[in-house]
Amino acid sequence: MGKNLGFVRAYYTVALACTGSFLFAYDTGIIGGVLTLKSFQNSFRYTEKQKSTINSNSNSLLQAGAFFACFFVWPFTAKYGRRWSIALASFIFCIGAIIQVIPTHSVAAFYVARVISGIGVGMATVIVPMYTSEMAPKSIRGKLGSFFQGFFVLGVFFSYWIDYAVEKHIPETSDSQWQIPIGLQLVPGGVLGLGMLFLKESVRWLAKKGRHDEAMRSLVWIRGGEETEEVRAEMAEILDGIEAENLATEGVTWKEILRVPGNLHRMCIAVTIQIGVQITGNTSLAYYAPQIFQAVGAGDNSLFISGFFGVAKVISCWFFLLFLVERIGRRWSLIIGAFLMGSLMLIVGILAKLFPPDPDATTISSAGIASILMVYFEAMCYNMSWGPVPWLYMSEIFPTRIREVGIAVGTATQWLFNFVFSQATPHALDSMGWGMFLMFCIFNWILVVYAWLFIKETTGKSLEEMEEVFNSRVGLYHKERPLDEQVQNKQGPNDDKAQESMQIGHEVYRLLLSGRLYLAPIADKPQNVLYVGTGTGLWAIEFGDMHPSAKVIGTDLSPIQPSFTPPNVQFEVDDCCDPWLYKNDTFDFVHVRGLCGCVSDWDEFYRKAYKHIKPGEYIEQLEQPVQGKSDDGTTNGSMHNEWAQHFLKAGDS
């Protein structure tokens, strides 16, 4: 009963939060139809010549507000949590909607209202994917994460049919014809804001803030109300993941994001995948469906055809969410979807070129029907690939530590290019005609190559397991992990002979210490230990076995350590001469061995070591002298000593 109730609560929680996506979509769909209504044009008193400019500005200013919202929402949600951030987003959106619906007859006032609503929508699109990914069970996270797109297509569906209904049943002389569709935005806006007051705060956000009891209560509630062993294990996994992430650095900085390979990779994916969403051409279809259907021959039936366009999107998207999302996987969905969308865009372009629509025709031609069907099929492919998957993918690839900034940057990219395409589409339709579809065809086929080369499969992975998928510094890496060119140029030999030499050296050091691993009088149960220059990893592994309470991190330029290690031992590719990305006062013990000739600035090295070790704890360093010595002086002037002099001189240069 508990697990089933947990699934019900998870579906309910995610569905309510995804009302934010419904808002975004409803506005996206409604504005395109409203801008075609004569009543709107009459109320705001602009000419036919100004129509393209009014259309593009009315759409793009909402994206402009959303773009800027993506940046200030990150620190807000980090401080105040996901629930209150979503509630605030709803409140701001509703203010903008109220101003829009007032018949001011001022285009400038309408523009201002669009920006305000955009701020609310932008905030929601950042936080909702974050909140849903942090609350959903791993087994159905893909399905629930894709609800964002599912509710998006529902919003578009309702908007198209509402536009069609007011056009048919309300006279164009009445302002109500355009006020009703815009005013109805207040319904989902209010549901979202009020509904969030009755949901639980994000488990991972609470855990990250150190509010572990509240986090546990939230997790128990969302998993069905019973504190089972499975729930406790999940909570332990969440806490371990957050602890590992927090251990890496003291504070999130752009240096951390851009320098740590795993983080940089994920940030690049978040940016590029959202650019990919826009260049599929479906943003243009969503905003300007009536105008685009007119361009392919729909004539006066464009709003009616747009309504069925919404139906096609809803059916395809929800079919994908319910039956395919966890079976096909993220990567193949994107590859197949982009290929099919490009092919269908090519067909539409060819039909529009060979059989241009007749503006005076009273019926839709066969070529027009074929073009409309191709657009329908293209939208269905989008809603089973590049519609739902990028939002899901972006919400699950980031660790808790940088999830806010990662999703904010990705979403800001989406809004920036959304702005670009909403500005450009009306003018592209006027100037390029069929060439616009050819352009989107090329863009989609480029996305096939992009997804094949750069998208990693994440289906079935927990948020904590993403560390291994992206080989970030927080977590284990494996021998197969490629090194970047800079590290390869710095590292010494690491072949079998070199590794055998390191293993012999390890035993020599133990003999020198009478079988011990270290001499420092450290505590019986150290918590965090750093071994700089871990080599083959033997010291770290043996120390980890000796002290199961300790989390042992071994760093080296070369990933030659074994893949199978004690659970409390992890290895990282790192250059100790670079800035150390750990919290101050983190380690109970820092061990250094055999780094003679490897460190260019020992003063700086010791400053970093003292900065990151806890007060009163120990740094131990063990080195062999390069220059051999003897009691009777027989080594003086030897070839070995001459070599040592050259070695020391080279090290100082």
Side-chain angles (χ1 to χ4, degrees), residues 306-626:
S306 296
F308 281 103
F309 178 59
V311 173
K313 295 175 77 165
V314 169
I315 293 173
S316 58
C317 184
W318 282 98
F319 178 79
F320 175 77
L321 299 185
L322 296 176
F323 302 108
L324 298 179
V325 64
E326 296 294 353
R327 297 183 182 183
I328 298 178
R330 322 304 192 228
R331 184 168 177 265
W332 279 106
S333 297
L334 296 176
I335 292 171
I336 296 170
F339 176 77
L340 292 176
M341 287 189 293
S343 302
L344 291 165
M345 284 288 192
L346 178 62
I347 295 172
V348 174
I350 292 173
L351 288 172
K353 171 64 175 175
L354 298 179
F355 307 99
D358 182 0
D360 298 323
T362 57
T363 59
I364 305 175
S365 66
S366 298
I369 293 173
S371 296
I372 291 168
L373 289 175
M374 292 304 104
V375 173
Y376 279 16
F377 289 140
E378 195 278 342
M380 293 174 73
C381 292
Y382 171 79
N383 283 286
M384 291 192 287
S385 58
W386 285 85
V389 172
W391 291 101
L392 167 62
Y393 196 79
M394 188 175 69
S395 71
E396 65 187 5
I397 63 174
F398 288 106
T400 304
R401 177 168 178 74
I402 62 168
R403 184 167 295 128
E404 291 99 337
V405 65
I407 293 179
V409 169
T411 308
T413 303
Q414 185 272 150
W415 284 116
L416 177 61
F417 281 83
N418 207 316
F419 172 85
V420 171
F421 278 90
S422 62
Q423 271 282 345
T425 299
H427 305 291
L429 270 174
D430 291 341
S431 60
M432 295 178 66
W434 68 274
M436 187 182 75
F437 298 101
L438 179 60
M439 176 185 71
F440 286 132
C441 163
I442 295 170
F443 285 162
N444 276 288
W445 284 347
I446 290 173
L447 290 177
V448 174
V449 179
Y450 162 80
W452 178 269
L453 294 177
F454 299 109
I455 297 298
K456 295 188 176 186
E457 188 56 69
T458 60
T459 303
K461 303 287 185 182
S462 71
L463 297 182
E464 285 65 41
E465 290 168 340
M466 294 299 171
E467 298 302 327
E468 295 187 40
V469 174
F470 286 91
N471 287 324
S472 68
R473 285 193 59 198
V474 184
L476 299 178
Y477 60 75
H478 302 284
K479 289 184 180 180
E480 296 78 16
R481 178 179 177 178
L483 293 174
D484 60 50
E485 184 177 352
Q486 180 184 15
V487 171
Q488 287 177 336
N489 290 338
K490 288 183 178 180
Q491 71 180 28
N494 62 0
D495 56 15
D496 290 341
K497 285 187 177 181
Q499 293 183 44
E500 183 180 356
S501 175
M502 293 178 203
Q503 291 171 339
I504 293 172
H506 174 71
E507 296 304 324
V508 169
Y509 281 122
R510 292 207 66 160
L511 288 173
L512 289 172
L513 300 182
S514 302
R516 288 177 289 180
L517 286 176
Y518 56 90
L519 297 177
I522 63 174
D524 292 335
K525 293 184 178 181
Q527 298 300 307
N528 297 303
V529 175
L530 176 66
Y531 178 27
V532 183
T534 192
T536 57
L538 287 178
W539 187 94
I541 292 171
E542 291 180 15
F543 189 96
D545 285 333
M546 185 185 301
H547 298 282
S549 66
K551 177 175 289 185
V552 184
I553 298 175
T555 65
D556 202 281
L557 285 173
S558 185
I560 57 174
Q561 300 76 32
S563 299
F564 298 100
T565 65
N568 60 328
V569 177
Q570 65 186 52
F571 298 113
E572 300 174 359
V573 173
D574 195 18
D575 185 350
C576 64
C577 296
D578 288 340
W580 291 14
L581 300 181
Y582 304 103
K583 282 185 177 181
N584 293 348
D585 304 333
T586 291
F587 298 106
D588 304 289
F589 185 35
V590 174
H591 187 69
V592 184
R593 193 174 74 179
L595 287 188
C596 182
C598 300
V599 176
S600 58
D601 187 344
W602 280 106
D603 290 340
E604 177 61 22
F605 178 90
Y606 292 133
R607 274 193 290 269
K608 289 183 287 192
Y610 277 104
K611 178 181 178 182
H612 292 90
I613 196 165
K614 294 177 181 176
E617 302 298 348
Y618 289 88
I619 301 171
E620 179 173 303
Q621 183 170 3
L622 184 61
E623 301 286 350
Q624 290 178 315
V626 176

Side-chain angles (χ1 to χ4, degrees), residues 112-134:
V112 170
R114 296 291 292 166
V115 173
I116 294 173
S117 289
I119 292 172
V121 168
M123 292 176 64
T125 54
V126 171
I127 309 163
V128 168
M130 192 186 306
Y131 179 72
T132 57
S133 71
E134 292 175 348

Side-chain angles (χ1 to χ4, degrees), residues 104-376:
T104 61
H105 309 298
S106 167
V107 172
F110 189 77
Y111 285 168
V112 170
R114 296 291 292 166
V115 173
I116 294 173
S117 289
I119 292 172
V121 168
M123 292 176 64
T125 54
V126 171
I127 309 163
V128 168
M130 192 186 306
Y131 179 72
T132 57
S133 71
E134 292 175 348
M135 294 295 278
K138 178 172 68 173
S139 59
I140 57 171
R141 195 184 69 246
K143 186 180 294 185
L144 293 182
S146 295
F147 270 31
F148 190 88
Q149 181 65 18
F151 276 74
F152 183 94
V153 296
L154 282 175
V156 170
F157 167 79
F158 280 105
S159 69
Y160 287 161
W161 284 108
I162 288 171
D163 275 341
Y164 176 70
V166 296
E167 184 200 37
K168 290 299 180 185
H169 299 291
I170 299 178
E172 63 183 34
T173 56
S174 171
D175 283 344
S176 299
Q177 190 186 48
W178 65 267
Q179 287 175 315
I180 288 175
I182 290 179
L184 285 174
Q185 295 177 105
L186 294 169
V187 176
V191 169
L192 176 64
L194 294 174
M196 290 308 299
L197 302 179
F198 298 96
L199 294 182
K200 298 292 184 181
E201 182 54 85
S202 161
V203 177
R204 283 178 175 81
W205 182 83
L206 289 169
K208 188 178 178 183
K209 289 295 182 181
R211 295 156 62 175
H212 295 168
D213 291 341
E214 292 178 70
M216 189 63 183
R217 288 196 295 271
S218 182
L219 183 63
V220 168
W221 181 85
I222 197 68
R223 297 296 181 261
E226 298 178 8
E227 189 175 332
T228 63
E229 188 63 35
E230 184 179 354
V231 170
R232 286 191 288 271
E234 183 178 357
M235 189 69 207
E237 183 182 14
I238 291 170
L239 293 175
D240 287 345
I242 292 173
E243 182 183 357
E245 292 158 5
N246 288 339
L247 180 64
T249 61
E250 184 174 7
V252 177
T253 64
W254 285 107
K255 180 183 289 187
E256 172 189 350
I257 293 169
L258 298 177
R259 180 179 177 273
V260 176
N263 289 348
L264 178 60
H265 182 186
R266 286 182 272 209
M267 192 64 69
C268 290
I269 290 294
V271 170
T272 53
I273 203 170
Q274 288 295 344
I275 294 174
V277 172
Q278 303 308 311
I279 67 175
T280 62
N282 282 271
T283 292
S284 301
L285 287 175
Y287 280 123
Y288 300 105
Q291 294 91 326
I292 288 173
F293 283 123
Q294 285 178 349
V296 297
D300 293 335
N301 298 303
S302 61
L303 282 178
F304 180 72
I305 291 172
S306 296
F308 281 103
F309 178 59
V311 173
K313 295 175 77 165
V314 169
I315 293 173
S316 58
C317 184
W318 282 98
F319 178 79
F320 175 77
L321 299 185
L322 296 176
F323 302 108
L324 298 179
V325 64
E326 296 294 353
R327 297 183 182 183
I328 298 178
R330 322 304 192 228
R331 184 168 177 265
W332 279 106
S333 297
L334 296 176
I335 292 171
I336 296 170
F339 176 77
L340 292 176
M341 287 189 293
S343 302
L344 291 165
M345 284 288 192
L346 178 62
I347 295 172
V348 174
I350 292 173
L351 288 172
K353 171 64 175 175
L354 298 179
F355 307 99
D358 182 0
D360 298 323
T362 57
T363 59
I364 305 175
S365 66
S366 298
I369 293 173
S371 296
I372 291 168
L373 289 175
M374 292 304 104
V375 173
Y376 279 16

